[in-house]
Amino acid sequence: MRNLLPLARCETKRFSRHPETLGETLLTGSYPRIFDEGQEASGWLGSYAAAYIESDVRTISSVSDLTTFQRFVAYCAGRTAQLLNYSYLAGGCGISRPTAKAWL
């Protein structure tokens, strides 16, 4: 896998198909391969998240059910900037509270 650091907003402007607004930047991300290869951002970002989960998470933790873990990650992302409630996260993903705490 190539270096996956995102571009700075000013760096994205060198590509012909770049986000014009901050909102577009937030929705498309700023990873070079999205602009280099003209890929659809949502598809590439989904693949990036899956690659991260499949390689890194499995090696550093005891996650055995990747599908449930991916749902947990999405559930957590949807609750950004809210108070942390392990029971709520666990219930929404069908896992135990201790599992939610360990995964977070």
Side-chain angles (χ1 to χ4, degrees):
M1 202 177 267
R2 288 199 258 168
N3 189 355
L4 295 177
L5 296 175
L7 299 168
R9 184 158 156 70
C10 62
E11 292 176 308
T12 63
K13 294 185 182 205
R14 71 178 183 198
F15 297 96
S16 60
R17 196 178 129 208
H18 66 278
E20 297 289 336
T21 66
L22 178 59
E24 288 176 10
T25 301
L26 293 173
L27 290 175
T28 61
S30 309
Y31 288 93
R33 292 187 85 182
I34 293 171
F35 303 108
D36 268 352
E37 299 170 8
Q39 294 187 16
E40 186 62 38
S42 62
W44 189 88
L45 292 169
S47 296
Y48 175 76
Y52 163 74
I53 289 171
E54 289 173 10
S55 63
D56 296 352
V57 171
R58 190 169 262 177
T59 59
I60 61 173
S61 68
S62 60
V63 174
S64 58
D65 184 353
L66 291 178
T67 303
T68 302
F69 185 76
Q70 286 177 316
R71 188 172 347 116
F72 176 75
V73 169
Y75 210 73
C76 289
R79 277 131 194 93
T80 300
Q82 295 182 14
L83 290 175
L84 177 59
N85 183 332
Y86 292 113
S87 297
Y88 186 75
L89 290 174
C93 297
I95 58 175
S96 69
R97 186 180 186 283
T99 298
K101 191 170 184 176
W103 284 0
L104 199 59

